[in-house]
Amino acid sequence: MIDQRPNTPQLGNEHLEQYFLDDGLRVEGDLEAVNAVIAEAIRSWPTTSRLKRLAMAPLQYRSTDLQDFEFLLCYKAHACLGIAVWQPDTPLALQQLQSGEELGECKKVASAVLLHGLFVSVQAQGCGIGGLLLDELTRRARQKEFAGIFVRAERFSTSYFEQKGFRQLNDGEELGLVPANYPHRFLMDVSQCAEGDGSATGITSELKVSG
C-alpha cells in the first residue's frame, strides 16, 4: 500500500544524500510515525493474514519501550521512511568469536548487541534505506566495542540478512543469544578484526547523520 499523505514524498531513483538519519523520538508524534511505518511494513509481508494480525501489536512500540531501546530513524524531508531499533544498554554474552579460521589472535570472549527491529516503509523499500540504517548501527556498535550484532529474523527475511553479512546460527550455537531455540537467529561479526573483510561496510560519506 502506498501512503498518500501530502507530506510523504513519492520515491524514485534518488541519491543517498536526500536521506538523513536522526536519533531517538523527540515528540509524541515520532512514536506514532514509527508505528505507522511498522504497520505498513507488516501488511506487506509475504505471509498469511493471520500471521500479520498476530505480529502487529507485539512489534509496535509504546512509550514505556523508550527506556529499553534506542531508535534510529531515516527521513526524507519530514517523512519517516525507515526505523532501526536496538538495545545497546543490554549486552548479550557471546562465546568465543573468531573472524576467519586463521585469525586466532582475534578469538576472544565478547558481547553482541540486539537489533530488535528493522522496518522500511513499503514505498521506500529497494532504495537502500535498510542498508543505510544497518551501516550506521554497525559503526555505532564498533564504537561501543560490541563484537557482533544479533537479530531474530522472520523466515522470509533470512536472505536479506545473509546478503548484508549476517550468519545464521546453528542449534546450540551461541546459547547466550536468546531464545536459543529460535529458528532464524543471525549474527554479524562487527569486531575490529572483521573490518575490511566485506562483511559490513562503513557508512557512506553521502549520508547525513543528525543528532
Side-chain angles (χ1 to χ4, degrees):
M1 184 181 74
I2 301 296
D3 191 339
Q4 298 292 347
R5 290 174 294 177
N7 303 352
T8 306
Q10 299 302 305
L11 297 177
N13 231 348
E14 294 98 346
H15 296 294
L16 295 177
E17 63 265 19
Q18 299 191 27
Y19 303 107
F20 69 93
L21 299 183
D22 195 12
D23 284 306
L25 306 179
R26 304 183 189 283
V27 296
E28 186 175 346
D30 288 342
L31 187 57
E32 181 179 344
V34 162
N35 285 328
V37 170
I38 293 172
E40 184 182 339
I42 292 173
R43 286 192 290 268
S44 75
W45 284 1
T47 188
T48 64
S49 298
R50 179 177 181 275
L51 181 57
K52 295 176 189 179
R53 184 176 68 254
L54 292 175
M56 190 69 72
L59 290 179
Q60 295 200 328
Y61 294 94
R62 297 162 181 79
S63 57
T64 52
D65 293 320
L66 302 182
Q67 61 187 344
D68 297 318
F69 300 106
E70 292 186 11
F71 292 74
L72 182 65
L73 311 181
C74 182
Y75 286 91
K76 183 183 178 210
H78 298 292
C80 180
L81 300 178
I83 305 109
V85 186
W86 67 324
Q87 204 169 14
D89 292 337
T90 309
L92 301 171
L94 287 175
Q95 296 170 356
Q96 290 179 324
L97 180 67
Q98 185 172 353
S99 302
E101 296 180 358
E102 303 302 324
L103 298 180
E105 68 276 9
C106 295
K107 197 170 184 180
K108 61 181 181 179
V109 176
S111 61
V113 61
L114 173 65
L115 172 59
H116 189 263
L118 180 67
F119 299 93
V120 177
S121 174
V122 171
Q123 69 182 85
Q125 291 176 8
C127 296
I129 290 175
L132 295 179
L133 289 164
L134 281 176
D135 283 348
E136 175 62 10
L137 286 188
T138 297
R139 185 184 69 82
R140 296 183 184 199
R142 283 179 174 149
Q143 280 187 336
K144 293 178 179 290
E145 299 185 345
F146 286 107
I149 297 177
F150 170 59
V151 65
R152 298 186 292 262
E154 298 292 341
R155 172 185 53 79
F156 43 79
S157 63
T158 56
S159 60
Y160 175 82
F161 286 105
E162 288 172 346
Q163 179 188 7
K164 295 299 181 184
F166 286 77
R167 177 180 65 85
Q168 186 162 8
L169 298 174
N170 299 318
D171 290 344
E173 186 179 4
E174 296 296 354
L175 297 179
L177 303 183
V178 295
N181 61 349
Y182 189 86
H184 309 299
R185 298 183 306 144
F186 284 82
L187 179 67
M188 180 166 65
D189 183 352
V190 299
S191 63
Q192 296 303 317
C193 298
E195 288 193 41
D197 68 358
S199 62
T201 59
I203 190 166
T204 174
S205 60
E206 295 180 310
L207 182 65
K208 299 189 287 270
V209 182
S210 169

